[in-house]
């Protein structure tokens, strides 16, 4: 094998971060491959690779033809007559079909012959093409990189397929070979591309947004630190009536603050998958419900059952009608009659959706399955106990259990929104976290688990009940899963419900201004309407505004208005012997938060090169991603409407993630040094890491040379 | 000086068109107040939208040839301007120029037609023109009208502007597919009395319709993005509308363009949910037994359609073509049920078909009745061209039904691969309207 070439291929792919398809959009740092460089250099490199507007004209042709074929091959169900030969792997299909493409071959029979006889092994083909294009060995690396970075969206999807989805028919080499193949067909002398790139002179990183970022971060730090240092050690309070655990998601913070103000509540923050490395199977489909960095180890089954006979029948009918609709719509001749038959009803339906979106939910429920229960028998008791133990120990909930403990997941429900899954729980792989909360509550309520937990030093009293819930982030509605609720807890749950309603109202008032809602109106109704409105492009602000991650007990932040900008992860350093728990937090939730932060940051900095442009002109390709207009590269990242108030005014403030850990400096530094990706992030200033001293509350910064310094000096 | 009354003539056709324009206009307008919120062009969009609606209302009501032409040209210009929403975006300018070029051809030909009409009848009053004889210029005028209708309704070979128009914002696409492409059908309907006695012209319209209906569907089924799929579908639906004009059944054509307008507006405005829409139809070719039963069940739809629409089942004229299409659609519906449970499926499917046949029949009947005072319906005697058209549609349907694996079998012959690539290339948008690099997009 040609190791030099393999190395070049691997190096060229380093510029490309993966892109997850629409069904579970995962936030990634679009510049993840540049994290081993200082951010100032990375911004300059990114400018040269991704933010150019003028290209040699032949690139237009190469891209246009690439897009045409990639779109057809990777379609996941939009077209009803799929691409021929799709059972072969990507490169084989493409080579065979390109032979017939007159737009590329243009009756050049020599070209067709060459194409027919070219090697089907991707690496060999890359080598052949590089020779045919007569690229010198010293330029090959650069040329391969440019073949990827000039069509970054589709390359990102190929990176996802080959490296994350482990799709056997796709590989990094095959994608590169395809790009080179098209180049061979339309641009025999592509050296101009290299000279074009060499002539690019990147501006000063400060002009690329770094300076703005830094000053915004300084302002943010000063405010946050003064709030945190003024915080006094809490007076030990009486036993709270209810303890609840929320996802670290920034939308939990204001809601937790609101809930705490309604009664004797104690809240915790933990990654929304509750530490469960599970996949969830429902109606024959299985999907991982944990962060993408982690491989699921167990599968739990969702049992869907519809409450009444009538509603089940109705759903069946609806399902069959949809089937009829699709079968007539996607055939010859029959769609002609379909229009006249159904249009009167469709006209009425469309008017309701447009003028009275509040009434849409009567119909929408027809499309949803109610999950009656979950089958966790596939998870052995010992693993259940370990899950529960890790969960409780991480947040420090190992004694003083309240009678009612609410495990609250979150999800979002919006209509006519291509990026809907970006509003769901990132820790659950871009899905609702409801299943995870329910599974964890079931585990913690199992008496055998409690017996085993007691052996490991955690005594959960019999009078304690865990109840799962899900927080609807668009409307701030919280739904409790009350099945199998012991009678003794009925009163408490009733009271909790009242308090949740109050918290909803308080939080909606806080959010009203950002959503441009009149605070005097019925906010519950207004947000309900937003969620069901098919014309609404900003149903909620999602994770816009995110700026910091605080890894500390809640007492450090109780009562502080963090403005919904902070991920809160509970952590008790005193009970973390050997810093095992801290290591997990710094290598998993921290990385997830940094990905989310970087996605919002870069989508705001350049909403076309790193974001998806405006929703107004988006067009969904192959059910996997959005394009702009007739045809374009896959637009990775977030739409303008998710980060900006209007086409020009930012809503999200582009800042790097600030991480504050309440733990001894040595413990943090040891973990950072142990993990090269963390070392990179700190040393190259991709994030700020601060330590709060557990007793003196002194805040110190971990500088890029990996030494501790005063945070005041940093802020100035 | 002509009086206001002579300038405008409100008849059934204009009333139906006005209703369609107002309903679609209000829905698109209300939708856009939220959908375009924060957009730089927000105000400009609404000013253009309102102007366009007013011009369209004038177009459908006017009785004056010169106003008709002016409104026609102006409305197309306004639509093209609406398409150019993001004017800093190169591809969007490409779509704009392409549309404008096609519309200019239509507008120039329409101007020529109007001049010919004026010279032949010495009148600018449309109603008067329709009732007078045109003499030797008649053929030329009809050819001109067909040409204008084809440019407007994006019939092949004038289809490029429509499948390259998706750089427009979603509400503009909805408006275009629900409104402006229908103007071709409206034009034919407005001047339909000129066509009644000329079966050759009707046969030409019919053939153009069949061609576009089949080509549009074929392209639609191979597209992998939602909006271009919808655009190709519009092309095929416009083909069907022209077919109905060609059959002499102008009320049915107007019914089709009205209902299609609502249908397509909904599909476009909801296009952002395409990724969440599950594909349910598995599409396995039926066995002969199932197929025969399905045809039987389809008869229910055809009979009820015939009864309700007032078309005699065994009519010796072109109405029986519509009945045949209802029959085909009914058989397709029945297959969904029959392929699941043979006999109980048959019973259910007959019930469903009865309902759908009634709905279809009723909507055609409604328009038929509305148009009685205008004497719009002139079913033609059955000509072999009509039969061949029907056979084409039938064969296309059967090929898709039984040859579902036509393009995706494991041992697909070379000629089919070539055919697929040819179709794929033919349905690509114009090169100047493709955003070849993401940074060419401009907010």
């Amino acid at each position: 094998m040609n190791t030099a070439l393999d190395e070049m291929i691997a190096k060229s792919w380093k510029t490309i971060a993966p892109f997850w398809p629409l069904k579970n959009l995962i936030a990634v740092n679009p510049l993840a491959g540049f994290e081993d460089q200082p951010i100032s250099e990375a911004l300059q490199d990114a400018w040269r690779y991704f933010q150019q507007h003028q290209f040699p004209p032949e690139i237009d042709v190469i891209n246009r033809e690439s897009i045409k074929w990639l779109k057809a091959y990777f379609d996941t169900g939009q077209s009803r007559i799929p691409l021929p030969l799709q059972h072969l792997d990507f490169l084989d299909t493409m080579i065979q079909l390109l032979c017939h493409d007159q737009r590329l071959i243009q009756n050049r029979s020599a070209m067709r012959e060459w194409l027919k006889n070219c090697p089907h092994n991707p690496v060999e083909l890359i080598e052949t093409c590089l020779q045919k294009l007569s690229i010198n060995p010293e330029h090959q690396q650069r040329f391969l990189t440019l073949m990827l970075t000039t069509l970054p969206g589709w390359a990102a999807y190929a990176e996802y397929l080959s490296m994350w989805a482990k799709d056997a028919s796709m590989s990094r080499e095959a994608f590169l070979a395809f790009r080179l193949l098209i180049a061979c067909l339309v641009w025999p002398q592509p050296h101009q591309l290299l000279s074009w790139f060499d002539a690019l002179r990147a501006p000063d990183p400060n002009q690329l947004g770094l300076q703005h970022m830094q000053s915004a971060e300084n302002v943010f730090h000063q405010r946050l630190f003064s709030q945190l240092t003024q915080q006094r050690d809490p007076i030990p309070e009486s036993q709270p009536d209810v303890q609840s655990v929320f996802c670290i998601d920034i939308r939990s913070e204001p809601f937790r603050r609101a809930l705490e103000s309604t009664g004797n509540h104690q809240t915790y923050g933990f990654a929304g998958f509750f530490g469960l490395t599970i996949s969830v199977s429902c109606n024959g489909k299985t999907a991982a419900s944990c962060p993408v960095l982690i491989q699921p180890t167990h599968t739990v089954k969702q049992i869907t059952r519809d409450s009444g006979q009538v509603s089940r029948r109705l759903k069946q009918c609806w399902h069959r009608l949809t089937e009829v609709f699709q079968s007539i719509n996607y055939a010859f001749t029959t769609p002609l009659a379909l229009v006249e038959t159904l249009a009167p009803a469709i006209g009425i339906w469309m008017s309701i959706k447009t003028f009275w979106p509040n009434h849409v939910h009567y119909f929408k429920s027809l499309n949803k399955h109610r999950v009656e229960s979950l089958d966790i028998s596939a998870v052995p008791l010992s693993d259940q106990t370990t899950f529960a133990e890790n969960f409780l120990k991480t947040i420090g909930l190992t004694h003083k259990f309240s009678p009612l403990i609410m495990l609250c997941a979150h999800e979002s429900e919006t209509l006519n929104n291509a990026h809907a899954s970006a509003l769901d729980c990132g820790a659950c792989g871009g899905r609702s976290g409801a299943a995870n909360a329910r599974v964890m509550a079931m585990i913690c309520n199992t008496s055998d688990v409690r017996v085993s937990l007691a052996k490991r030093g955690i005594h959960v009293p019999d009078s304690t009940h865990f109840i799962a819930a899900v927080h609807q982030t668009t409307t701030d509605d919280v739904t409790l899963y009350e099945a199998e609720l012991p009678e003794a807890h009925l009163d408490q749950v009733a009271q909790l419900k009242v308090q949740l309603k109050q918290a909803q109202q308080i939080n909606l008032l806080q959010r009203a201004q950002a959503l441009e809602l009149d605070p005097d109106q019925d906010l519950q109704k207004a947000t309900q309407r937003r969620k069901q409105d098919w014309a609404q492009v900003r149903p909620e602000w999602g994770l816009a505004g995110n700026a910091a991650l605080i890894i500390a007990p809640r007492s450090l932040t109780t009562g502080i208005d963090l403005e919904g900008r902070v991920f809160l992860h509970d952590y008790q350093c005193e009970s973390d012997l050997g810093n095992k728990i801290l290591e997990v937090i710094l290598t998993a939730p921290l990385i997830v938060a940094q990905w989310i932060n970087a996605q919002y940051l870069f989508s705001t900095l350049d909403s076309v090169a790193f974001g998806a442009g405006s929703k107004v002109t988006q067009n969904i390709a192959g059910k996997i991603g959005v394009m702009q207009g007739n045809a374009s590269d896959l637009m990775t990242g977030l739409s303008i409407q998710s980060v900006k108030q209007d086409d020009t005014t930012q809503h999200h403030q582009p800042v790097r993630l600030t991480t504050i850990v309440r733990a001894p400096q040595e413990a943090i530094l040891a973990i950072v040094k142990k993990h090269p990706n963390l070392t990179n992030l700190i040393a190259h200033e991709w994030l700020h890491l601060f330590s709060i001293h557990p007793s003196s509350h002194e805040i110190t910064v971990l500088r890029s040379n990996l030494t501790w310094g005063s945070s005041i000096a940093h802020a100035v | 000086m002509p009086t206001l009354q002579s300038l405008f003539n409100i008849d059934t056709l204009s009333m139906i068109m006005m209703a369609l324009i107002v309903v679609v206009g209000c829905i698109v307008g209300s939708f856009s107040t939220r959908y375009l919120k924060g957009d730089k062009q927000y105000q400009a969009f609404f000013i253009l939208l309102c102007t366009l609606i007013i011009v369209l209302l004038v177009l459908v009501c006017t009785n004056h040839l010169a106003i008709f032409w002016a409104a026609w040209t102006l409305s197309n210009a306004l639509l093209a301007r609406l398409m150019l929403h993001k004017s800093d975006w190169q591809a969007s300018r490409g779509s704009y120029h392409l549309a404008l070029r096609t519309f200019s051809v239509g507008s120039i030909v329409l101007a020529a037609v109007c001049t010919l009409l004026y010279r032949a009848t010495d009148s600018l009053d449309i109603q008067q023109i329709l009732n007078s004889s045109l003499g030797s210029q008649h053929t030329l005028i009809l050819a001109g009208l067909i040409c204008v209708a084809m440019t407007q309704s994006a019939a092949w070979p004038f289809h490029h502007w429509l499948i390259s128009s998706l750089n427009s914002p979603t509400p503009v696409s909805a408006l275009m597919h629900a409104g402006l492409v229908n103007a071709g059908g409206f034009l034919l309907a407005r001047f339909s009395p000129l066509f009644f006695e000329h079966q050759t012209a009707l046969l030409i319209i019919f053939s153009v319709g069949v061609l576009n209906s089949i080509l549009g569907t074929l392209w639609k089924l191979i597209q992998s993005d939602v909006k271009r799929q919808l655009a190709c579908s519009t092309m095929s639906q416009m083909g069907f509308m022209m077919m109905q004009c060609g059959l002499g059944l102008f009320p049915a054509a107007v019914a089709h363009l009205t209902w299609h307008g609502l249908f397509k507006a909904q599909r476009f405005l909801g296009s952002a949910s395409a990724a969440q829409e599950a594909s349910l139809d598995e599409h396995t070719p039926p066995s002969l037994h199932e197929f025969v039963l399905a045809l039987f069940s389809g008869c229910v739809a055809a009979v009820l359609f015939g009864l309700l629409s007032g078309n005699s089942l065994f009519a010796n004229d072109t109405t029986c073509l519509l009945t045949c299409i209802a029959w085909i659609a009914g058989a397709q519906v029945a297959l969904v049920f029959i392929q699941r449970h043979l006999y109980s499926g048959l019973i259910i499917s007959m019930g469903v078909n009865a309902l759908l046949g009634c709905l279809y029949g009723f909507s055609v009947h409604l328009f038929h009745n509305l148009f009685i005072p205008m004497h719009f319906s002139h079913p033609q005697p059955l000509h072999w061209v009509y039969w061949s058209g029907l056979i084409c549609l039938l064969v296309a349907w059967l090929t898709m039904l039984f040859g579902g694996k036509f393009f995706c079998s494991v041992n697909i012959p070379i000629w089919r691969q070539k055919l697929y690539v040819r179709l794929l290339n033919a349905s690509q948008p114009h090169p100047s309207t493709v955003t070849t690099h993401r940074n060419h997009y401009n907010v």
Side-chain angles (χ1 to χ4, degrees):
Chain A
M1 282 312 287
N2 187 339
T3 46
L5 187 58
D6 284 341
E7 209 171 285
M8 272 196 269
I9 294 170
K11 248 186 169 172
S12 62
W13 273 98
K14 248 191 51 165
T15 49
I16 302 295
F19 165 69
W20 265 263
L22 292 179
K23 67 171 193 281
N24 57 325
L25 281 166
I26 301 292
V28 287
N29 179 2
L31 303 184
F34 297 85
E35 281 171 1
D36 56 359
Q37 302 174 35
I39 190 163
S40 51
E41 277 176 32
L43 284 173
Q44 288 181 316
D45 270 358
W47 180 85
R48 297 203 298 164
Y49 281 121
F50 300 120
Q51 291 178 279
Q52 293 310 308
H53 290 260
Q54 304 292 333
F55 300 88
E58 289 84 356
I59 283 289
D60 287 345
V61 187
I62 298 180
N63 277 0
R64 192 164 57 231
E65 299 303 316
S66 302
I67 291 167
K68 173 181 86 186
W69 284 111
L70 290 166
K71 198 155 81 73
Y73 184 85
F74 289 114
D75 177 26
T76 54
Q78 188 68 46
S79 64
R80 297 303 157 128
I81 300 181
L83 189 77
L85 303 171
Q86 249 182 340
H87 58 280
L88 301 176
D89 66 21
F90 174 65
L91 201 55
D92 291 338
T93 314
M94 283 303 138
I95 293 174
Q96 290 202 39
L97 291 179
L98 282 176
C99 293
H100 312 304
D101 190 346
Q102 279 303 331
R103 277 191 176 204
L104 289 167
I105 305 286
Q106 294 170 336
N107 287 325
R108 294 174 295 180
S109 50
M111 205 48 114
R112 185 180 292 124
E113 277 315 301
W114 175 78
L115 198 56
K116 269 185 186 158
N117 298 321
C118 69
H120 282 221
N121 174 300
V123 181
E124 280 171 36
L125 184 56
I126 292 176
E127 216 174 347
T128 316
C129 288
L130 285 173
Q131 259 166 26
K132 193 174 165 68
L133 296 166
S134 51
I135 308 281
N136 299 329
E138 70 266 27
H139 292 138
Q140 287 181 354
Q141 164 77 62
R142 164 106 344 130
F143 188 75
L144 291 180
T145 312
L146 287 174
M147 280 290 108
L148 296 175
T149 56
T150 44
L151 193 63
W154 277 106
Y157 185 62
E159 168 76 1
Y160 158 77
L161 282 181
S162 50
M163 305 311 286
W164 294 85
K166 312 273 181 211
D167 187 324
S169 64
M170 187 60 184
S171 68
R172 288 170 154 191
E173 292 77 14
F175 183 83
L176 256 182
F178 166 74
R179 288 283 285 166
L180 290 176
L181 207 54
I182 302 234
C184 286
L185 294 175
V186 298
W187 199 11
Q189 299 293 324
H191 302 95
Q192 205 199 331
L193 184 64
L194 293 163
S195 48
W196 162 81
F197 185 77
D198 288 336
L200 296 173
R201 292 282 165 269
D204 187 75
N206 283 333
Q207 285 170 5
L208 295 171
L210 195 59
Q211 200 169 20
H212 277 166
M213 254 189 257
Q214 273 164 346
S215 49
E217 285 156 4
N218 284 342
V219 174
F220 176 72
H221 289 163
Q222 273 173 358
R223 218 172 70 236
L224 182 64
F225 294 161
S226 74
Q227 282 171 320
L228 291 180
T229 42
Q230 278 165 21
Q231 187 82 342
R232 295 278 147 255
D233 276 331
I235 314 141
E237 270 186 50
S238 58
Q239 179 65 33
D241 297 336
V242 182
Q243 291 164 321
S244 42
V245 186
F246 284 83
C247 182
I248 59 170
D249 193 287
I250 61 164
R251 290 165 288 184
S252 300
E253 185 271 321
F255 190 83
R256 284 170 64 182
R257 190 155 26 92
L259 185 61
E260 285 163 351
S261 71
T262 62
N264 190 5
H265 271 280
Q266 188 177 11
T267 67
Y268 293 88
F270 190 72
F273 72 116
F274 292 97
L276 296 165
T277 52
I278 52 168
S279 19
V280 178
S281 83
C282 179
N283 294 337
K285 285 183 207 134
T286 308
S289 194
C290 57
V292 287
L293 294 165
I294 298 171
Q295 282 299 316
T297 50
H298 302 88
T299 303
V300 300
K301 236 196 232 153
Q302 279 189 339
I303 300 159
T304 56
R305 213 173 290 133
D306 289 313
S307 31
Q309 186 81 7
V310 183
S311 85
R312 200 176 70 222
R313 270 284 145 78
L314 260 175
K315 271 178 206 181
Q316 248 175 18
C317 278
W318 180 250
H319 187 84
R320 200 52 49 79
L321 273 180
T322 324
E323 216 175 320
V324 169
F325 172 78
Q326 291 192 1
S327 128
I328 317 181
N329 193 21
Y330 298 109
F332 275 94
T333 311
T334 52
L336 311 176
L338 169 79
V339 164
E340 272 138 311
T341 314
L342 290 186
I346 282 179
I348 295 169
W349 174 223
M350 180 164 63
S351 310
I352 295 176
K353 285 208 287 188
T354 311
F355 300 118
W356 302 281
N358 267 338
H359 299 282
V360 169
H361 65 274
Y362 303 119
F363 307 91
K364 253 207 102 185
S365 59
L366 285 173
N367 250 331
K368 272 180 72 177
H369 287 288
R370 256 195 50 193
V371 178
E372 197 68 4
S373 59
L374 286 137
D375 176 10
I376 55 166
S377 55
V379 188
L381 184 67
S382 57
D383 289 347
Q384 291 189 18
T385 314
T386 313
F387 280 141
E389 185 194 0
N390 287 342
F391 163 58
L392 294 171
K393 279 194 173 161
T394 305
I395 59 172
L397 180 60
T398 47
H399 53 284
K400 281 198 176 172
F401 290 93
S402 291
L404 195 61
I405 298 177
M406 176 171 77
L407 306 183
C408 191
H410 67 101
E411 65 182 18
S412 170
E413 202 183 304
T414 51
L415 209 62
N416 203 21
N417 179 4
H419 293 88
S421 65
L423 297 174
D424 274 334
C425 182
C428 297
R431 296 191 171 77
S432 159
N436 291 58
R438 295 181 74 175
V439 170
M440 187 46 95
M442 280 168 81
I443 291 177
C444 292
N445 284 333
T446 309
S447 50
D448 289 347
V449 172
R450 290 193 181 184
V451 172
S452 312
L453 278 177
K455 284 179 197 153
R456 303 187 193 183
I458 303 172
H459 297 275
V460 184
D462 289 342
S463 57
T464 292
H465 182 77
F466 287 78
I467 185 165
V470 60
H471 173 203
Q472 238 300 335
T473 48
T474 320
T475 57
D476 279 320
D477 252 323
V478 176
T479 317
L480 295 167
Y481 291 96
E482 293 168 75
E484 293 164 34
L485 180 69
E487 246 173 68
H489 295 280
L490 283 178
D491 288 346
Q492 282 167 332
V493 168
Q495 200 201 346
L496 177 62
K497 277 186 183 168
V498 174
Q499 289 168 338
L500 284 168
K501 273 278 163 220
Q502 289 169 349
Q504 175 186 22
Q505 191 54 35
I506 296 170
N507 198 28
L508 285 177
L509 270 171
Q510 298 185 53
R511 289 173 53 209
Q513 199 193 354
L515 292 172
E516 293 179 11
L517 294 173
D518 174 11
D520 294 331
Q521 75 189 108
D522 183 347
L523 290 170
Q524 288 184 28
K525 217 171 155 185
T527 46
Q528 187 75 21
R529 180 187 158 112
R530 256 180 129 83
K531 149 183 139 174
Q532 292 172 172
D533 185 357
W534 72 327
Q536 186 52 259
V537 283
R538 293 180 186 85
E540 59 161 299
W541 278 113
L543 291 123
N546 71 80
L549 163 66
I550 297 179
I551 303 169
R554 174 63 174 155
S555 56
L556 186 73
T557 49
T558 321
I560 302 178
D561 181 359
L562 294 168
E563 297 166 340
R565 300 188 66 183
V566 181
F567 298 92
L568 292 178
H569 200 303
D570 265 84
Y571 170 66
Q572 289 281 358
C573 58
E574 288 81 0
S575 57
D576 182 19
L577 304 170
N579 302 317
K580 283 270 172 294
I581 294 173
L582 186 61
E583 187 171 353
V584 173
I585 297 177
L586 290 186
T587 50
L590 170 66
I591 299 297
V592 171
Q594 193 256 331
W595 283 8
I596 293 172
N597 172 268
Q599 185 190 39
Y600 275 85
L601 166 65
F602 289 108
S603 295
T604 317
L605 277 187
D606 188 333
S607 46
V608 178
F610 305 118
S614 174
K615 285 188 179 186
V616 166
T617 41
Q618 280 172 3
N619 180 3
I620 297 176
K623 304 201 179 206
I624 50 175
V626 294
M627 310 186 300
Q628 283 294 349
N630 285 328
S632 83
D633 190 9
L634 272 190
M635 303 297 280
T636 52
L638 297 163
S639 308
I640 280 190
Q641 281 84 350
S642 309
V643 292
K644 293 191 181 176
Q645 230 139 31
D646 57 50
D647 280 355
T648 45
T649 324
Q650 284 173 3
H651 175 80
H652 176 73
Q653 189 180 35
V655 288
R656 285 166 287 177
L657 186 72
T658 298
T659 309
I660 300 166
V661 189
R662 183 181 169 277
Q665 292 176 344
E666 314 78 63
I668 302 172
L669 192 56
I671 296 168
V672 169
K673 280 185 172 162
K674 186 176 164 193
H675 294 275
N677 59 336
L678 281 175
T679 319
N680 271 339
L681 290 176
I682 308 289
H684 299 137
E685 299 180 327
W686 288 85
L687 59 78
H688 303 286
L689 185 63
F690 295 90
S691 144
I692 280 200
H693 194 274
S695 49
S696 72
H697 285 204
E698 191 201 354
I699 301 179
T700 45
V701 60
L702 184 58
R703 290 183 295 227
S704 56
N705 59 4
L706 300 188
T707 57
W708 292 96
S710 152
S711 65
I712 316 296
H714 172 86
V716 175
Chain B
M1 192 65 198
T3 60
L4 199 62
Q5 214 141 27
S6 71
L7 289 182
F8 292 97
N9 171 41
I10 314 275
D11 55 12
T12 315
L13 181 62
S14 26
M15 286 204 281
I16 290 172
M17 289 291 112
M18 283 200 289
L20 176 67
I21 292 163
V22 170
V23 168
V24 172
C26 286
I27 288 176
V28 168
S30 165
F31 184 92
S32 306
T33 53
R34 287 156 281 162
Y35 192 76
L36 291 179
K37 197 152 191 224
D39 197 280
K40 272 192 252 175
Q41 301 288 321
Y42 190 81
Q43 263 191 331
F45 171 84
F46 280 98
I47 294 171
L48 283 169
L49 180 70
C50 292
T51 323
L52 177 60
I53 289 174
I54 293 167
V55 174
L56 283 175
L57 290 176
V58 171
L59 175 70
V60 296
C61 295
T62 185
N63 193 33
H64 192 279
L65 207 53
I67 298 180
F68 186 88
W69 177 82
W72 178 277
T73 308
L74 187 58
S75 64
N76 279 332
L78 284 168
L79 175 71
R81 185 61 194 77
L82 271 172
M83 286 167 69
L84 186 64
H85 186 77
K86 305 253 174 235
S87 50
D88 293 333
W89 179 19
Q90 207 179 320
S92 162
R93 285 201 301 274
S95 302
Y96 167 70
H97 289 302
L98 184 63
L100 219 50
R101 277 204 297 277
T102 316
F103 291 154
S104 327
V105 172
S107 181
I108 291 168
V109 177
L110 187 64
V113 169
C114 291
T115 319
L116 287 176
L117 282 172
Y118 179 64
R119 278 180 43 191
T121 59
D122 206 23
S123 162
L124 285 170
D125 184 300
I126 294 178
Q127 291 309 314
Q128 221 171 338
I129 291 171
L130 294 179
N131 291 324
S132 43
S133 100
L134 300 178
S136 58
Q137 307 288 347
H138 204 131
T139 325
L140 208 54
I141 289 169
L142 293 188
L145 283 173
I146 294 173
C147 173
V148 180
M150 281 170 72
T151 58
Q152 191 70 21
S153 294
W156 184 89
F158 301 106
H159 62 284
H160 287 289
W161 76 268
L162 188 70
I163 51 176
S164 308
S165 68
L166 305 162
N167 293 325
S168 339
T170 312
V172 175
S173 289
L175 191 72
M176 182 192 314
H177 289 256
L180 267 287
V181 289
N182 291 326
F186 165 73
L187 180 79
L188 293 180
R190 177 52 88 212
F191 291 95
S192 56
L194 303 181
F195 287 92
F196 290 146
E197 305 309 322
H198 290 72
Q199 207 191 18
T200 323
L202 289 178
L203 289 177
I204 290 171
I205 297 178
F206 177 80
S207 314
V208 170
V210 172
L211 173 74
N212 277 289
S213 167
I214 291 176
L215 199 60
T217 313
L218 201 52
W219 282 348
K220 162 188 164 185
L221 295 175
I222 64 172
Q223 296 312 317
S224 51
D225 63 279
V226 58
K227 283 188 177 175
R228 206 190 306 162
Q229 197 170 59
L230 292 175
C232 292
S233 152
T234 298
M235 212 183 128
S236 89
Q237 298 283 2
M238 288 298 112
F240 185 54
M241 181 203 68
M242 291 185 112
M243 270 169 64
Q244 287 169 316
C245 292
L247 294 171
L249 307 172
F250 287 92
V254 175
H256 192 78
L257 72 84
T258 310
W259 293 134
H260 170 257
L262 289 179
F263 181 80
K264 203 39 75 68
Q266 131 87 19
R267 299 290 285 171
F268 258 105
L269 296 180
S271 67
S273 32
Q276 285 102 331
E277 197 182 79
S279 15
L280 294 172
D281 55 329
E282 287 306 318
H283 203 93
T284 40
S287 68
L288 193 66
H289 191 55
E290 288 165 344
F291 182 64
V292 173
L293 287 180
L295 285 182
F296 173 69
S297 171
C299 291
V300 176
V303 169
L304 279 160
F305 168 74
L307 284 177
L308 263 128
S309 64
N311 298 341
S312 159
L313 277 182
F314 305 102
N316 204 11
D317 58 32
T318 46
T319 49
C320 78
L321 261 81
L322 289 191
T323 316
C324 285
I325 286 172
W327 182 45
I328 294 176
Q332 178 82 37
V333 170
L335 278 174
V336 174
F337 298 93
I338 291 174
Q339 284 190 304
R340 204 166 292 258
H341 302 287
L342 201 57
Y343 291 106
S344 63
L346 178 68
I347 309 289
I348 299 172
S349 76
M350 285 165 77
V352 174
N353 270 333
L355 179 72
L356 294 179
C358 287
L359 282 173
Y360 186 18
F362 178 72
S363 83
V364 172
H365 181 67
L366 180 74
F367 278 77
H368 186 84
N369 273 7
L370 286 173
F371 278 107
I372 285 176
M374 291 189 70
H375 307 290
F376 248 28
S377 188
H378 283 241
Q380 300 292 308
L382 285 166
H383 190 273
W384 64 267
V385 173
Y386 292 133
W387 284 121
S388 356
L390 183 65
I391 287 167
C392 286
L393 290 176
L394 194 66
V395 169
W397 174 61
L398 290 175
T399 315
M400 178 76 186
L401 195 60
F402 287 99
K405 297 261 180 282
F406 190 79
F407 280 120
C408 51
S409 56
V410 174
N411 296 314
I412 172 171
I414 298 286
W415 70 270
R416 285 195 206 160
Q417 296 180 21
K418 282 188 178 163
L419 178 64
Y420 178 89
V421 177
R422 207 162 243 263
L423 284 168
L424 186 69
N425 277 338
S427 61
Q428 291 304 308
H430 192 276
S432 71
T433 66
V434 174
T435 311
T436 49
H437 192 283
R438 60 192 295 167
N439 292 347
H440 294 163
Y441 178 73
N442 217 321
V443 177

